[in-house]
Amino acid sequence: MAEPNLSKDVPNVIEKGNVEKEQVYLEETFYILSKRKSVFRVRLTSKGLSLTKETDDSSKEQTIPLQDIIGSKCMRSKRRRVGAGSCVCTSLVGHQQLKVVDENSGDLDESDISAYLYIYAYPLKLNRRTLKRERTTITLRFRSYDKYEDNNKEAQKWRTCIKCLIANQPITYVAPQTQSDKKLLILLNPKSGPGKARELFQTKVAPLLQEAEIPYDLHITKYAQYAREFVRTRNVYGWRGVVAVGGDGVLFEILNGMFERLDWQQALAEVPLGIIPCGSGNGLARTICHHYNEPYIRQNLTGISVSLARGKTAPLDVVRVETKSNIMFSFLSVGWGLLSDIDVESERIRAIGGQRFAIWALARLVGLRKYKGVVSYARIKDVTNLPKPKLPVTLSHSVSQDGALDSPDAEAFIDCDEHSEVFTNALNGKQYQRVDSWYSVNSRRSAFYSTRGSEYHSVTSGGSEMRSPVHACMHGPASHLPSLMSQLPSHWVHEEGEFVMVHVSYQAYIGEDLLFAPRSQMSDGVMWMLIIKAGITRSQILSFLIGMGEGNHADINNEHIKMIPVSAFRIIPEGSNGYMTVDGELVEYGPIQAEIFPNIVHLLVPDTK
């Protein structure tokens, strides 16, 4: 069999017409043992991994885009392979035919001097008319030299080059120092949605993070506001990002915990946030997939998990919301009336997942409610010509209308969970209490599929409860609005009467199947206010809700329904009976006002643009 070409350190440039130049970094020829007349020309380029299959009479090229590659690993064979040749290139999608072990394992085959490079990718593929990401492993076998150490050196060169490309750093043959050296902080709510967050993380997310060699600290939330108190009291700069696993409510806690920090501006600038959707609504995750052309398949978390591995971020608007006694920050929506009623009251059947909203919507249509009040808003006249967002003005703390949120004189931040049980990988040289790293998700104490350096905190409720400042103070950008009960500016529009609902969203989707604001962008400085006035028939509301699944309602503007772009608003309801929600979370019923601040948060998003 012909000797393979040795790897070429070739920063060659290929020009294809007016297409962006493609840089070639490494190139090698691999033979296929089962088809002796076929070879693969493999090139690692600035575009991705190019595989060209060549036979005597044909040539076929396939390229795996760089943004679909999440990591690679060098391995050695576990047992002797009889009749092995010089090099192998195979694409394994399914059961692996080659048994390999880690290069430091004691169970390796000393007689095989080959070095195996596994490249992990998740390209988009059409499967039964459904576009989704499919796990693909490219295995490259290096055996050009007579010693394993030399073959491993070649494989490591490819691996390091791949790591540099993924990290978007200059190509070297020394492992890059990147943000990925830090851990991810994972805050998981086991009760989100139908209660499958642990199982979904263990089976869908953790294996992918291991392939990407991204370590993480996993904490299971123990009670309401756990995630909020956790990020407020910890040194978040030690993590490369904070990820909510659960519904939108977990991220709502994390966001507000960040704004309760004295260093909120630096923390949000340096530590991106992410979400793995395991709840009922999952509006933000659905919005992210919508804007980045990532297929959204319920309980298939591959695409959104790849975004954690790639580490790309994008800016996100936040909305400062003020009630009589609280100030909070929101990323999704504020609601009053029908949709809020459905959201809150359907909690009693949350075990069935997202279907609870459709079932309760029918119930609320039968017993349709009307609410009296005044809705005021600052309308945006031209959403296509908005000024560039200004940098937010900082302040030491925010004070509500009645002064109930004034800051304490001093805050003593005390570390939490000092007695909680920790599972630590032994490679860090730390002590650990359990050696195995995979437990049943139904076990009383669940650890999860480990990656190097990851830590796992017990999900039991034993041990000390989290301790935090007695008085939490809300910081954040300073409000530009008058106090809640003061007179509004003269250019504001006021509407008084009876309403079926008022719902304001700043994301395209407010649920997996509810395309609320098709024109919305994640960082455009616009809120979209939907007003439905009393007098509308039940059949019209039903038709409207059905159309919302496709966003067909967005251009409706009649005597009962209107959709308005606004930069700020205030709602003052009459009476005390009803529900108001912020990001799907119930807040006190009464006067509420809000304003949008662009580009405050950095959000982990798919690398598809």
Side-chain angles (χ1 to χ4, degrees):
M1 183 174 293
E3 287 294 323
N5 296 333
L6 299 183
S7 297
K8 304 180 181 69
D9 303 345
V10 282
N12 295 336
V13 176
I14 299 175
E15 296 189 30
K16 299 180 179 179
N18 294 325
V19 180
E20 184 180 348
K21 294 180 180 180
E22 182 178 12
Q23 192 93 15
V24 180
Y25 298 107
L26 291 171
E27 189 172 356
E28 177 68 277
T29 300
F30 295 88
Y31 295 86
I32 300 179
L33 295 177
S34 59
K35 298 179 181 179
R36 304 222 168 182
K37 293 184 179 181
S38 298
V39 298
F40 267 91
R41 309 285 180 187
V42 182
R43 293 182 302 145
L44 185 59
T45 75
S46 55
K47 298 291 186 182
L49 190 68
S50 173
L51 308 169
T52 304
K53 182 180 179 181
E54 297 179 352
T55 60
D56 290 341
D57 54 359
S58 65
S59 176
K60 184 179 180 180
E61 183 177 3
Q62 175 191 4
T63 298
I64 299 178
L66 179 62
Q67 62 263 33
D68 295 341
I69 299 173
I70 65 165
S72 60
K73 189 173 185 180
C74 289
M75 310 283 280
R76 289 194 71 174
S77 61
K78 185 177 181 180
R79 59 183 176 84
R80 184 175 181 180
R81 291 173 49 82
V82 179
S86 57
C87 280
V88 173
C89 176
T90 57
S91 177
L92 301 178
V93 188
H95 298 292
Q96 299 183 8
Q97 300 171 354
L98 173 68
K99 291 186 178 180
V100 294
V101 292
D102 188 89
E103 53 190 330
N104 298 318
S105 171
D107 195 22
L108 52 84
D109 183 0
E110 294 284 359
S111 64
D112 187 355
I113 61 173
S114 305
Y116 298 89
L117 177 65
Y118 274 50
I119 302 173
Y120 305 107
Y122 288 81
L124 286 170
K125 294 187 177 180
L126 191 63
N127 186 359
R128 296 181 181 179
R129 297 183 180 181
T130 300
L131 191 65
K132 65 178 183 179
R133 294 198 177 273
E134 186 173 295
R135 181 179 183 269
T136 299
T137 306
I138 304 299
T139 307
L140 302 180
R141 181 184 182 188
F142 292 82
R143 197 182 179 184
S144 301
Y145 299 97
D146 295 331
K147 294 182 179 180
Y148 165 74
E149 290 75 15
D150 294 328
N151 292 318
N152 184 54
K153 185 177 180 180
E154 287 296 306
Q156 292 288 356
K157 183 186 297 183
W158 281 68
R159 177 173 179 263
T160 303
C161 189
I162 290 172
K163 289 176 72 73
C164 290
L165 288 170
I166 291 175
N168 196 28
Q169 292 195 2
I171 301 301
T172 66
Y173 299 112
V174 178
Q177 298 295 318
T178 67
Q179 267 287 87
S180 61
D181 296 329
K182 293 183 178 180
K183 298 178 184 179
L184 276 174
L185 171 60
I186 309 289
L187 293 170
L188 185 151
N189 181 3
K191 296 183 179 180
S192 289
K196 295 183 178 181
R198 294 184 208 175
E199 178 183 356
L200 288 171
F201 180 83
Q202 178 174 334
T203 58
K204 304 290 186 182
V205 183
L208 191 148
L209 292 177
Q210 186 192 42
E211 291 175 345
E213 298 182 281
I214 295 179
Y216 54 85
D217 290 334
L218 173 65
H219 291 259
I220 309 297
T221 62
K222 299 177 181 179
Y223 47 82
Q225 304 303 320
Y226 180 97
R228 183 173 187 158
E229 294 175 3
F230 191 100
V231 298
R232 184 177 75 234
T233 58
R234 290 297 183 98
N235 176 17
V236 295
Y237 303 104
W239 290 291
R240 71 190 299 258
V242 181
V243 180
V245 179
D248 292 320
V250 188
L251 189 61
F252 177 78
E253 286 191 22
I254 292 172
L255 179 66
N256 282 277
M258 294 290 266
F259 276 111
E260 287 173 343
R261 298 174 62 95
L262 289 169
D263 59 347
W264 65 270
Q265 196 165 19
Q266 180 185 356
L268 288 172
E270 296 184 13
V271 184
L273 307 183
I275 187 165
I276 296 294
C278 299
S280 300
N282 304 319
L284 181 61
R286 183 67 181 89
T287 295
I288 294 170
C289 291
H290 170 73
H291 287 304
Y292 287 87
N293 300 315
E294 182 68 48
Y296 186 90
I297 304 172
R298 186 170 292 146
Q299 295 190 355
N300 183 332
L301 306 177
T302 303
I304 205 77
S305 299
V306 168
S307 67
L308 304 186
R310 297 289 306 184
K312 179 181 178 181
T313 62
L316 179 73
D317 295 347
V318 298
V319 169
R320 183 185 186 274
V321 181
E322 183 178 351
T323 66
K324 269 193 162 184
S325 60
N326 283 295
I327 293 173
M328 66 204 78
F329 286 86
S330 161
F331 59 86
L332 188 64
S333 65
V334 176
W336 174 46
L338 179 61
L339 288 184
S340 294
D341 294 349
I342 294 169
D343 202 354
V344 174
E345 294 177 352
S346 65
E347 279 285 325
R348 64 194 71 179
I349 56 171
R350 68 178 302 143
I352 67 174
Q355 295 177 344
R356 68 181 176 126
F357 300 115
I359 293 173
W360 212 261
L362 295 176
R364 285 276 52 84
L365 281 177
V366 173
L368 191 62
R369 299 166 181 162
K370 293 179 288 186
Y371 299 92
K372 288 185 177 181
V374 179
V375 178
S376 306
Y377 51 86
R379 181 172 190 143
I380 298 175
K381 295 181 180 179
D382 184 5
V383 295
T384 63
N385 190 28
L386 293 174
K388 291 183 179 180
K390 299 178 181 179
L391 291 176
V393 179
T394 61
L395 76 166
S396 60
H397 61 276
S398 297
V399 183
S400 71
Q401 180 268 336
D402 61 0
L405 296 182
D406 212 356
S407 172
D409 294 334
E411 294 179 303
F413 292 109
I414 304 173
D415 206 12
C416 56
D417 281 344
E418 62 182 27
H419 302 299
S420 63
E421 190 170 3
V422 179
F423 302 82
T424 307
N425 192 300
L427 294 176
N428 282 344
K430 299 179 182 178
Q431 296 296 320
Y432 56 93
Q433 294 167 285
R434 294 175 185 262
V435 177
D436 44 348
S437 58
W438 185 280
Y439 283 79
S440 164
V441 293
N442 296 319
S443 66
R444 187 163 175 266
R445 291 175 175 174
S446 297
F448 292 83
Y449 195 23
S450 67
T451 189
R452 291 187 179 182
S454 299
E455 295 184 4
Y456 312 87
H457 293 247
S458 171
V459 301
T460 59
S461 57
S464 63
E465 293 295 293
M466 180 177 295
R467 293 175 296 172
S468 58
V470 176
H471 301 286
C473 174
M474 185 61 73
H475 305 280
S479 175
H480 302 116
L481 300 180
S483 61
L484 189 55
M485 303 308 293
S486 299
Q487 185 175 353
L488 289 168
S490 59
H491 67 275
W492 280 48
V493 179
H494 308 277
E495 298 194 25
E496 184 174 1
E498 290 188 326
F499 302 89
V500 171
M501 64 173 281
V502 177
H503 210 88
V504 186
S505 178
Y506 7 104
Q507 304 301 335
Y509 281 82
I510 58 173
E512 290 180 334
D513 301 316
L514 291 178
L515 181 53
F516 184 90
R519 298 175 63 187
S520 176
Q521 300 295 318
M522 294 200 305
S523 58
D524 58 1
V526 179
M527 297 185 286
W528 291 90
M529 171 179 276
L530 172 66
I531 298 176
I532 300 182
K533 295 183 177 180
I536 190 172
T537 65
R538 289 178 174 83
S539 61
Q540 286 176 315
I541 295 177
L542 179 60
S543 176
F544 175 83
L545 293 176
I546 293 173
M548 192 181 291
E550 301 295 330
N552 297 329
H553 65 288
D555 295 325
I556 297 177
N557 190 352
N558 56 42
E559 60 177 329
H560 297 301
I561 303 175
K562 64 173 69 174
M563 179 80 90
I564 311 159
V566 302
S567 60
F569 68 89
R570 178 186 290 177
I571 300 172
I572 301 182
E574 288 187 14
S576 58
N577 296 322
Y579 300 112
M580 282 190 168
T581 55
V582 176
D583 293 355
E585 302 298 306
L586 184 64
V587 299
E588 64 181 308
Y589 192 76
I592 189 171
Q593 67 180 17
E595 59 189 308
I596 193 165
F597 290 88
N599 304 338
I600 297 290
V601 172
H602 295 283
L603 192 66
L604 291 166
V605 297
D607 188 7
T608 57
K609 289 187 177 181

